[in-house]
Amino acid sequence: MTKPSASAPTASISEASASNNPKPSKDSLRTFTLDDYVVSFTNSLLTKKSVAASSTKGGFQSAKTMVKKPPLADTTPVVISSSSDDEPLELVSKVEALRLDQTQDRISKLDIDKPLLIVAGAGSGKTTTLCARVIEIIKRGVAPASILVITFTNKAADELKERIAKYMAMTGHAELKQMPFASTFHSWCYGLIMRNYHQVGLHQCPMVAATESEHAAIAKIALETIEDCRMLVQCESMLDIENEPESMVFVDRADLRWARVARKAKEVLDISMDNVAAELQPLDSKATMKGHGKLVKKKYGAQAVAATEEMSTTRALYHHIYAKLGKQSKLTNLADNPTDYRHLFDGKDIIKDIMSFIYRAKSRGDLPEHYPSAHGSVLKAYNATLKRFNLLDFDDMLKLANDLLDVSEVLESVQAEFPYLLVDEFQDLNQLQMNLVLKMQKGIGRVTAVGDERQSIYAFRGASCEHNFQTFLDSFVDAQVGRTNSGDQSLSQGAGTMASLTQNYRSHQSIVDLGNIVARDTIGDSKLLGRLRVPLLALPTAPMVPVTIWNSEDKHDEAKSIGSKIKELVDSGDCIASDIAVISRCLNFGSFRPTNLIEVDLMRSGIAYVVRGGHSALKSKRMQLFMALIRMVANTDDDIAAETCLSDVVKSLGPAGLRKLNGVGGYSTLPGGEMAPLSLFAKMERAVKHGSILPRPATDSLAAFTRSIRGWQAQLSTTMTLRQLVKLMFDEFVAQANEDAKEAPIWGKVATAQGASDGLWELVESIMDGFIDSPAALPPSDCGSFAPGKVANPNGPCSVLLLQAFSGQLCMMSTSAEDMGKVKGGHSKNSPTPPPAVVITTVHQAKGLEWKHVFIPNFVEDMFPMKFRGEAKADSVVLSPKDGNMPRPEEQHYREEGRLAYVAITRAKLGLYISVPAKHGAPWMERTDCFPSRYLPGIMCPDKPVKKHNYERDYYY
Ligand SMILES: Nc1ncnc2c1ncn2[C@@H]1O[C@H](COP(=O)(O)OP(=O)(O)OP(=O)(O)O)[C@@H](O)[C@H]1O
């Protein structure tokens, strides 16, 4: 992935070492020399030393004596320079040179028509080499539009495009009109589906169900289609009220719900309420009831009062159910008559459990028949429900694209369109993605894959890096396999060489060494990974700078130490705030936010910071609602979108209205001729037409809503363009919200005028710009078989398919959108541009990035690594036949945590500061002693709790 630090201009050690510039101005681009770093960093260390010397109990060596004057780099940077002598000066000064050492240069130039696997550690220039290879392919006369580069996130795709554009400009290709197509797997697959869905018997292009809440809604509907599950689902939703914090629920409401739960439980379990009540001590409900009885009557009417009368027994029953069931396995026991299905429900939340099973199974391309009957039928029902609403989830998208590639006509057109394929982050591919690569390149073998098994951190999504590397080597028998370090010994696979970059250009020796040590234990006994792995080397020119380990008393001390060190670094002028990152294992640990106190400290010191990795505005409720509206316009049979609109838009309907609406009967004919129950939208229209099914306000709300949808639909295939139509919808969405602020709430609270317009259109529009500029994301001009180049005109009249395609892109962007955060603190209120800010983020979000100084808080057992919590479930994990001899889940967990530690450590260029508090930060563990993380080998005794005294030590590995 691309790395430019999220910071202002800085240079990596290597860049600096390659420069002979005298000390330049601080603001200019890439102007620090290594000497600058050494001197300024040494100064900062010396400052620290004087502060820390009194409290340091050893190990803190004089940085000055340790810093060696760097010899000249022994790598020979090859600069792919402009072929044009009279390159405009402005361009040259803006564009960074593509620095390649001899190894990277040779690898990028290996036979472009043969498969190539590049295996390399962190900071060794994988992304750099990938870009160089793309340029090499273009230089050899291949049209850029014939090259597909697959990355894992939209952000990585954008950065890659930017880097390639710069490099192309540098090499005199600026006049090229086309760019290689850089995309995520999902975006590319959706484009393929849009153009070819009819090839696999679909009558209309499926749309994307992107959010977890939509998946959960689908799962719920799916489960209710399975007779045996229905009861359990109903019980789960009844019993789920336990999760509502009592203080948040009005007591009368709670009582009503209890009454309902108990009645339902009685119905389901056939437990005699009287028997149960007699068994148990009646609770104090009568007294409580008297207190709020009037309120209940006023609010809910006579029926509610009747319900509350049951309370003395129902409350007892409620408690009895919980006492009997226990919190963990309530539903297992609840099903008195056990069936297969109860095994699905041994967790706290049925739908969550079901979804984690479904995600896991689908990410591996497993079919229902791979599983025991209950699991298999749940998977089948889930897929059938998606199909019923013409929806795809993310794994379906990969699966359907795989199916399409089995159609020879489709495969031929894909291979003709993109004969060259490059895949970044190869270690993170799941089985379906791997299959896509194999199919796309079948019989061609012009594929370049770049990966690092040490950075494989998505096993939980079904990635298996060993399997990926092995499959690549097995499938592309003439893969270029070789090792270019230490005398070019070849791994002698096939005809060529597999490239392994071993030179780390990012970090200094101690960081690289610590990374190597941590990575050592993450391979397990994999022979292949052992063979592929070569320890990373720091540049010999890198300064000898220690890794700093803090031993603080508790979270308060930790925050103070980190805050004051950051302040010291910024004040020293050695770096600006955006050169610094705090990388936490997670940003939310239950209700505990591990970086909270650090934020407070930074705020107090007036240092700006930004938290990245939360939910982006694209994932907000407002956006989800707007996306659901677009989907409704494209397909009114999409009940999942309709439900989102109903719950959020048509507020005045209420639960009773919703029940009535659902009760509207009838059938409709699907495009394929099949009969299906009326869609929710059709029911809404019927209710409006009938007029008396629902109360007046609800009918009016629905009328306004259905009118809007039909009105927007009427604009399809007129003269209106996609941009105009989406803008029209957005404006009316906002206007309606404005209206609702005064009138009856039709659009609901989420779409308040201020909220709906708060920068959301800019986001939508920027996605629209990207979509319109990507021919590979556009649908065909007609629905016939796709021929490259014959895409719909995104600026012409907007068709349903174009709207669907855009909606798909919007879903994908919103799902992988990462919150870039808002800069806080730093006294920036009056400044038009936010000041440089310290980045606070998670390891997953930090992947692919680099900073001059990195702080890792909470580096203790149970926080980093996270505790393995699967013991209870380990035995009940459903294995598919593909699991074979997988290591135990616990072993896999700690290996993945080790790789996460490796990623965090290797983001640092110069300063790495690891904090090891003596007491846990989470409120429920505050009294618990911490044990040092197992990823601090040789530094702290792993068996002894961290000592309480507050000191720091510097380590040279
Ligand atoms: N030959 C080189 N000379 C100087 N600097 C280089 C060279 N190759 C790469 N770099 C620099 O090293 C840093 C890491 O490069 P890059 O991002 O390509 O590595 P990577 O292997 O993709 O990293 P990671 O996997 O850790 O994200 C960048 O700052 C890049 O500019």
Side-chain angles (χ1 to χ4, degrees):
M1 294 237 216
T2 14
K3 321 309 129 190
S5 97
S7 60
T10 58
S12 69
I13 295 164
S14 53
E15 287 156 351
S17 64
S19 163
N20 292 323
N21 290 342
K23 190 167 180 171
S25 97
K26 222 167 131 194
D27 302 329
S28 60
L29 196 65
R30 305 214 169 254
T31 47
F32 288 102
T33 64
L34 178 63
D35 283 353
D36 296 331
Y37 276 111
V38 173
V39 170
S40 61
F41 196 71
T42 305
N43 285 343
S44 85
L45 286 174
L46 289 174
T47 322
K48 178 181 75 172
K49 189 188 171 201
S50 55
V51 174
S54 55
S55 61
T56 302
K57 296 203 171 171
F60 189 70
Q61 304 170 51
S62 159
K64 193 160 193 177
T65 55
M66 294 305 293
V67 175
K68 290 187 280 183
K69 185 86 179 156
L72 277 177
D74 63 354
T75 53
T76 316
V78 176
V79 178
I80 296 183
S81 56
S82 165
S83 59
S84 146
D85 285 337
D86 52 4
E87 196 76 71
L89 259 180
E90 201 200 338
L91 184 66
V92 174
S93 66
K94 268 191 198 160
V95 172
E96 54 182 49
L98 175 60
R99 264 183 229 287
L100 298 174
D101 65 24
Q102 281 175 341
T103 309
Q104 294 165 332
D105 185 50
R106 272 193 39 210
I107 291 171
S108 68
K109 290 182 174 146
L110 284 171
D111 193 341
I112 61 162
D113 293 321
K114 279 194 176 163
L116 168 65
L117 179 59
I118 304 174
V119 183
S124 58
K126 289 186 296 298
T127 310
T128 311
T129 309
L130 188 79
C131 290
R133 184 137 175 103
V134 172
I135 293 159
E136 188 59 33
I137 297 173
I138 296 170
K139 276 166 71 182
R140 299 215 193 155
V142 174
S146 300
I147 304 171
L148 174 61
V149 187
I150 300 261
T151 61
F152 257 75
T153 61
N154 297 308
K155 189 161 157 263
D158 287 347
E159 283 177 2
L160 220 106
K161 277 187 242 178
E162 202 180 305
R163 275 172 92 158
I164 292 169
K166 281 182 181 174
Y167 299 151
M168 282 167 68
M170 282 292 291
T171 49
H173 290 91
E175 73 283 0
L176 281 179
K177 291 274 181 298
Q178 292 168 313
M179 276 292 288
F181 186 56
S183 163
T184 62
F185 268 108
H186 289 104
S187 293
W188 182 79
C189 287
Y190 194 59
L192 184 75
I193 291 166
M194 237 172 8
R195 294 160 182 201
N196 299 286
Y197 60 88
H198 52 280
Q199 300 270 14
V200 281
L202 295 175
H203 300 288
Q204 48 179 321
C205 179
M207 309 222 17
V208 186
T211 64
E212 278 178 22
S213 61
E214 283 182 321
H215 298 161
I218 294 162
K220 211 159 174 180
I221 296 175
L223 289 176
E224 288 184 10
T225 64
I226 303 174
E227 193 68 26
D228 288 356
C229 289
R230 197 173 304 149
M231 177 189 84
L232 293 166
V233 177
Q234 284 167 357
C235 288
E236 170 70 7
S237 31
M238 286 176 337
L239 298 177
D240 206 32
I241 63 163
E242 186 208 28
N243 296 334
E244 271 186 59
E246 211 135 323
S247 58
M248 304 284 285
V249 182
F250 289 119
V251 68
D252 53 340
R253 229 179 93 206
D255 284 344
L256 265 180
R257 286 160 151 249
W258 283 353
R260 247 187 276 133
V261 167
R263 268 209 306 276
K264 195 77 195 174
K266 180 172 177 267
E267 196 181 303
V268 173
L269 297 175
D270 199 21
I271 294 174
S272 154
M273 242 193 244
D274 295 342
N275 289 349
V276 175
E279 237 178 69
L280 296 160
Q281 284 285 327
L283 299 175
D284 60 342
S285 52
K286 274 208 170 132
T288 320
M289 198 181 80
K290 268 186 201 159
H292 61 263
K294 274 189 188 157
L295 184 67
V296 171
K297 188 172 178 186
K298 197 168 149 208
K299 266 185 137 175
Y300 301 100
Q303 209 188 342
V305 177
T308 57
E309 274 163 12
E310 281 185 87
M311 262 190 307
S312 58
T313 46
T314 55
R315 191 180 285 204
L317 174 64
Y318 176 80
H319 283 279
H320 175 71
I321 291 170
Y322 276 95
K324 190 177 162 204
L325 303 179
K327 286 187 182 172
Q328 288 307 312
S329 57
K330 56 194 176 200
L331 289 165
T332 308
N333 298 321
L334 186 61
D336 260 346
N337 180 16
T339 69
D340 250 349
Y341 292 95
R342 66 180 195 160
H343 296 301
L344 293 170
F345 308 131
D346 56 356
K348 215 170 170 225
D349 178 341
I350 284 184
I351 299 295
K352 252 194 196 156
D353 281 0
I354 293 282
M355 283 322 301
S356 69
F357 158 67
I358 288 175
Y359 285 144
R360 184 165 178 263
K362 291 188 79 168
S363 69
R364 300 173 342 159
D366 291 349
L367 298 173
E369 41 278 24
H370 288 149
Y371 288 92
S373 60
H375 286 82
S377 50
V378 166
L379 188 54
K380 202 166 159 192
Y382 181 83
N383 289 338
T385 309
L386 277 165
K387 205 166 166 201
R388 179 174 142 202
F389 298 121
N390 194 35
L391 291 173
L392 295 174
D393 62 16
F394 284 113
D395 291 316
D396 281 342
M397 236 184 267
L398 301 175
K399 163 95 177 44
L400 192 52
N402 265 292
D403 293 348
L404 283 169
L405 291 183
D406 290 336
V407 178
S408 56
E409 197 185 322
V410 177
L411 181 64
E412 274 162 30
S413 95
V414 167
Q415 293 191 332
E417 191 181 11
F418 294 120
Y420 290 88
L421 174 67
L422 295 97
V423 187
D424 201 8
E425 308 281 3
F426 187 67
Q427 74 282 352
D428 286 330
L429 266 57
N430 67 22
Q431 185 64 57
L432 287 167
Q433 291 161 330
M434 190 69 211
N435 291 347
L436 281 173
V437 170
L438 298 179
K439 287 181 187 175
M440 272 194 265
Q441 283 293 313
K442 195 174 166 198
I444 301 187
R446 289 175 184 146
V447 53
T448 299
V450 179
D452 176 10
E453 36 79 29
R454 283 158 276 208
Q455 295 188 61
S456 162
I457 55 175
Y458 285 100
F460 68 93
R461 284 196 203 154
S464 161
C465 70
E466 182 182 4
H467 174 259
N468 294 350
F469 289 127
Q470 189 62 61
T471 309
F472 191 98
L473 298 178
D474 293 345
S475 309
F476 300 109
V477 281
D478 61 346
Q480 305 184 80
V481 185
R483 191 174 278 171
T484 42
N485 69 316
S486 52
D488 265 5
Q489 318 109 334
S490 170
L491 271 182
S492 63
Q493 180 86 18
T497 47
M498 177 186 72
S500 174
L501 300 166
T502 56
Q503 183 66 69
N504 176 294
Y505 283 96
R506 179 180 294 140
S507 317
H508 64 70
Q509 191 69 53
S510 294
I511 296 172
V512 170
D513 288 346
L514 179 58
N516 281 334
I517 293 169
V518 169
R520 217 167 35 202
D521 294 331
T522 59
I523 303 188
D525 48 13
S526 161
K527 286 207 178 75
L528 175 70
L529 297 184
R531 228 160 36 107
L532 293 182
R533 178 174 295 184
V534 187
L536 278 177
L537 305 166
L539 275 177
T541 51
M544 288 295 287
V545 179
V547 169
T548 300
I549 314 283
W550 265 306
N551 180 191
S552 47
E553 288 208 24
D554 55 20
K555 61 183 173 189
H556 299 278
D557 271 339
E558 176 178 73
K560 228 189 282 163
S561 308
I562 292 180
S564 60
K565 183 70 207 176
I566 290 177
K567 187 162 177 356
E568 187 189 316
L569 287 170
V570 174
D571 288 350
S572 74
D574 171 52
C575 66
I576 54 175
S578 52
D579 289 331
I580 301 170
V582 177
I583 302 181
S584 176
R585 172 66 185 81
C586 60
L587 288 178
N588 295 299
F589 187 55
S591 55
F592 167 55
R593 193 176 161 89
T595 57
N596 233 353
L597 291 175
I598 301 173
E599 290 178 43
V600 172
D601 208 272
L602 291 177
M603 187 80 90
R604 227 180 259 141
S605 314
I607 294 176
Y609 68 90
V610 57
V611 182
R612 290 203 184 138
H615 286 299
S616 113
L618 278 174
K619 286 183 182 148
S620 65
K621 268 253 181 197
R622 296 190 302 275
M623 190 63 197
Q624 303 301 333
L625 176 55
F626 186 57
M627 289 194 309
L629 288 175
I630 298 183
R631 268 171 46 195
M632 291 297 301
V633 173
N635 174 18
T636 47
D637 288 338
D638 183 344
D639 277 10
I640 304 296
E643 221 171 87
T644 305
C645 297
L646 259 188
S647 57
D648 283 336
V649 178
V650 192
K651 194 181 160 198
S652 61
L653 202 58
L658 196 59
R659 262 198 306 279
K660 278 193 191 154
L661 185 65
N662 274 318
V664 175
Y667 284 85
S668 62
T669 315
L670 295 179
E674 262 175 73
M675 295 295 282
L678 274 191
S679 70
L680 200 47
F681 187 78
K683 288 178 181 176
M684 291 184 211
E685 289 193 313
R686 270 205 191 173
V688 170
K689 202 168 163 199
H690 198 277
S692 60
I693 296 177
L694 297 166
R696 188 81 254 152
T699 309
D700 289 348
S701 297
L702 286 183
F705 172 67
T706 49
R707 228 183 2 255
S708 294
I709 298 290
R710 289 293 184 204
W712 295 326
Q713 264 185 339
Q715 303 298 336
L716 285 168
S717 304
T718 60
T719 52
M720 205 171 252
T721 64
L722 172 71
R723 190 184 296 270
Q724 287 165 339
L725 176 59
V726 175
K727 180 77 173 103
L728 174 81
M729 288 179 64
F730 190 85
D731 287 346
E732 289 187 13
F733 173 61
V734 174
Q736 192 70 60
N738 271 331
E739 201 50 36
D740 290 344
K742 293 180 244 143
E743 303 282 336
I746 294 172
W747 296 95
K749 59 180 186 294
V750 289
T752 62
Q754 186 202 359
S757 55
D758 189 17
L760 213 56
W761 175 248
E762 284 69 33
L763 284 172
V764 174
E765 202 172 29
S766 72
I767 294 173
M768 170 97 62
D769 290 342
F771 171 71
I772 286 176
D773 284 347
S774 303
L778 293 169
S781 46
D782 59 51
C783 271
S785 183
F786 173 71
K790 283 182 81 183
V791 290
N793 174 9
N795 298 312
C798 179
S799 64
V800 178
L801 202 53
L802 192 62
L803 186 67
Q804 280 182 316
F806 175 65
S807 151
Q809 282 302 319
L810 210 53
C811 282
M812 277 172 283
M813 295 299 285
S814 74
T815 308
S816 64
E818 132 194 2
D819 185 8
M820 296 313 284
K822 280 210 172 104
V823 173
K824 296 180 193 159
H827 312 304
S828 61
K829 274 184 194 141
N830 300 326
S831 156
T833 47
V838 172
V839 174
I840 298 178
T841 190
T842 62
V843 188
H844 284 98
Q845 297 288 350
K847 193 166 179 218
L849 301 173
E850 59 188 22
W851 289 270
K852 216 164 161 187
H853 299 281
V854 166
F855 292 76
I856 309 179
N858 273 307
F859 210 61
V860 290
E861 286 292 303
D862 296 351
M863 286 297 289
F864 206 150
M866 286 275 195
K867 191 177 168 69
F868 175 66
R869 296 190 186 278
E871 293 95 344
K873 283 190 164 187
D875 292 332
S876 63
V877 168
V878 191
L879 298 179
S880 90
K882 291 185 192 167
D883 285 318
N885 297 325
M886 294 275 278
R888 298 288 307 148
E890 183 168 2
E891 235 175 292
Q892 291 182 44
H893 169 84
Y894 286 111
R895 278 186 208 154
E896 180 119 333
E897 291 289 313
R899 293 189 292 264
L900 282 159
Y902 174 81
V903 170
I905 288 165
T906 53
R907 298 308 95 197
K909 292 186 187 179
L910 275 175
L912 177 62
Y913 310 86
I914 296 177
S915 168
V916 185
K919 290 282 173 200
H920 275 286
W924 60 91
M925 295 200 291
E926 253 167 1
R927 286 160 197 266
T928 322
D929 288 338
C930 288
F931 286 82
S933 167
R934 63 191 71 191
Y935 308 123
L936 283 176
I939 294 183
M940 292 187 145
C941 178
D943 304 326
K944 290 201 179 131
V946 180
K947 287 189 187 144
K948 273 193 189 155
H949 37 232
N950 202 336
Y951 67 84
E952 65 179 65
R953 284 187 176 183
D954 291 346
Y955 286 88
Y956 297 83
Y957 279 83

